[in-house]
Structures are given as C-alpha cells and as structure tokens.
Amino acid sequence: IHASGCRVLFPLPEPDDAGSDYSRILRDGLSNGVKLGGFDAVVELNAPDPGSLPALVRSLDEIRVSAGGLIDPARTAAAAGTDIVIVDGTGPVHLVYGMRRKADTSHEDFSRYWEQQHTTVAKFTPGLAGYRQLHADPELSKAAAEAAGVGLYDVDGVALEWFATLPDFCSAVGAPVDFKERAKSSEGQFNDIERATAIVVASG
C-alpha cells in the first residue's frame, strides 16, 4: 500500500527513582484511575488514504505469521478505523488509550459524543502536543482481529495523545482538580472507564 507504515511501540521504561512523578503514575494510574500497562506493546499500521483501510486490515495476516507465539490472542485487541486530528502535532511521549462504550451507549452515540462533546474538554489537556481520535469501525475491527488471529475487537475508539516530554505528560495527569473532574465527568458520559486500557510508549 503506497505510503503506508508499520511500527511496534513499546512502553517507556520505569524510572530508577521510585519517587518520581512517572513512577507514581505507574503505581496509582491516570487521573481517572485507569492504570497504565494494559498492553505489552502496540503494533501500529497506517495509510494516508482511508480507502486503503480494507487492504491494510487484510495485511494483518502477516503479523499473525511473523509474530507467531509472541502474541497472546486472548489478551490482544485489534482496532481498525479512521483517525480524526483534534490537535495537530506529535512528540516522543505517546499515550495510547483504548476505550469501550458504556453498556447503554451505541457505538454511533459513543463516536458522536467523543468527537463533538468530549473534544471541547480534552483538547485543553495541559502539556498536550498532539491529539487524534481513532474511531473504530466494528466490522473492520472484527476482520482485523480475524486476520491477525487475536480474540478481542470490542474497542470503540483509541485516544492518541502526544507530549513533548515526560514531565509534560505527568503535568497532564496532575492537572488542576477542576479540569480533571470536568474531563472525567465528560468521559463518563460515553466511555466505560473501568474497561479502558492505557499504555505510554516511546514514539520516536
């Protein structure tokens, strides 16, 4: 697929200083209580043309063949969809935050609220250098899981956030209480926070 890309992203290493801000976040979780480390790694495939998405999904059988026994199918999720740029930018510290809709919320309502309502809060996250929303396509996510040989495909969306430095990320987690309360209240309208998964990776 022309201009497509593939990379494997691994978690940032735990710092030697057990009293550092990042060590505290690893121990206590994000400001909404979600613990980091939901996955051991992220395999990211992308293409510039949304029309290439079905072909990109089919190519995941190469991941299944090449990775072999490295993947635990029962604990691995596939999410295929189109991303929306909210804040244009990137950085070396990258939060990948997988979300699943609340039981009484449809996938369509999840996506609508996330893009149209929650964005008005999330884009002002302190220290944020870049923010995209990957809105999953349920049928393509299922096809991706089948191609990759993994068992999970119930992720409705993936928040992709970038920070220029690790302290910037820590400042986002330690945002003022009023911002954290507004952000969590908004997220609770569409996302089942207790089933969210998060990982902070090096995005060089």
Side-chain angles (χ1 to χ4, degrees), residues 14-15 18 43 66 77 93 117 124 139 151 166 185-186 192-193:
E14 185 169 356
V43 179
S66 61
V93 179
Q117 301 296 323
F124 294 110
E139 292 185 3
L166 188 56
S185 175
S186 174
D192 186 348
I193 295 177

Side-chain angles (χ1 to χ4, degrees), residues 101 105-112 135-138 155-157:
R101 66 185 185 274
T105 303
S106 69
H107 175 74
E108 291 73 20
D109 286 343
F110 169 97
S111 295
R112 187 180 304 109
H135 290 256
D137 179 310
V155 174
D156 290 277

Side-chain angles (χ1 to χ4, degrees), residues 5-173:
C6 176
R7 58 181 182 167
V8 181
L9 304 172
F10 294 101
L12 291 178
E14 185 169 356
D16 295 331
D17 180 6
S20 70
D21 288 339
Y22 188 56
S23 291
R24 177 181 52 80
I25 293 170
L26 288 174
R27 182 180 67 250
D28 299 337
L30 302 176
S31 57
N32 61 3
V34 174
K35 295 293 183 71
L36 295 178
F39 298 105
D40 293 328
V42 174
V43 179
E44 178 186 271
L45 288 83
N46 61 73
D49 177 13
S52 300
L53 187 54
L56 201 65
V57 165
R58 290 193 297 271
S59 73
L60 283 168
D61 60 356
E62 297 178 23
I63 299 293
R64 185 186 69 247
V65 172
S66 61
L70 296 177
I71 294 177
D72 181 351
R75 297 178 58 235
T76 303
T82 303
D83 63 340
I84 299 171
V85 179
I86 306 299
V87 176
D88 192 13
T90 61
V93 179
H94 183 19
L95 172 67
V96 180
Y97 185 81
M99 298 183 290
R100 295 170 171 88
R101 66 185 185 274
K102 296 176 62 177
D104 58 350
T105 303
S106 69
H107 175 74
E108 291 73 20
D109 286 343
F110 169 97
S111 295
R112 187 180 304 109
Y113 191 97
W114 185 25
E115 180 182 358
Q116 297 178 6
Q117 301 296 323
H118 186 64
T119 296
T120 62
V121 178
K123 68 181 180 181
F124 294 110
T125 299
L128 193 65
Y131 174 36
R132 294 180 179 230
Q133 295 179 346
L134 175 67
H135 290 256
D137 179 310
E139 292 185 3
L140 285 175
S141 291
K142 181 179 180 181
E146 292 173 347
V150 303
L152 304 177
Y153 49 87
D154 61 341
V155 174
D156 290 277
V158 183
L160 306 167
E161 299 182 358
W162 287 267
F163 300 86
T165 66
L166 188 56
D168 284 343
F169 167 72
C170 294
S171 74
V173 177

